[in-house]
Amino acid sequence: MDKTELAKLEGYLRRTFNNHGISVRARMKKNDSAEVYLADEFIGIIHVDDEDGDRSFNFTMAILDVDLED
């Protein structure tokens, strides 16, 4: 993913979740995925899927059981 694509994904997530604290950052030594942050907290990964000529993105967010505790 290049800088233009990262910016488009970041804009999409910010609009979708109505939160300008979301940022999409390039990963070191990886060009098929990016890291997603809410402020300074890592919240997930976006992977590129460009099989069969169709390009799409998969956002994966893990939620730990300790995060669900009050």
Side-chain angles (χ1 to χ4, degrees), residues 1 5 7 21 23 25 29 37 39 41 47 50 52 55 69:
M1 288 188 260
E5 199 162 52
S23 62
R25 304 176 190 175
K29 301 179 184 177
Y37 287 81
E41 184 176 351
H47 292 276
D50 57 1
D52 302 327
R55 192 163 177 88
E69 297 174 6

Side-chain angles (χ1 to χ4, degrees), residues 4-70:
T4 302
E5 199 162 52
L6 293 174
K8 287 180 180 181
L9 289 165
E10 183 176 277
Y12 172 79
L13 291 174
R14 287 179 174 184
R15 286 188 309 276
T16 300
F17 296 110
N18 195 27
N19 191 325
H20 290 285
I22 295 173
S23 62
V24 178
R25 304 176 190 175
R27 297 179 72 191
M28 297 290 289
K29 301 179 184 177
K30 301 271 186 178
N31 62 359
D32 64 344
S33 58
E35 297 178 345
V36 180
Y37 287 81
L38 181 56
D40 290 330
E41 184 176 351
F42 172 79
I43 61 168
I45 296 282
I46 296 177
H47 292 276
V48 175
D49 181 0
D50 57 1
E51 292 183 22
D52 302 327
D54 295 328
R55 192 163 177 88
S56 63
F57 303 91
N58 298 307
F59 175 52
T60 305
M61 179 177 165
I63 302 171
L64 304 176
D65 62 347
V66 295
D67 293 333
L68 298 176
E69 297 174 6
D70 289 338

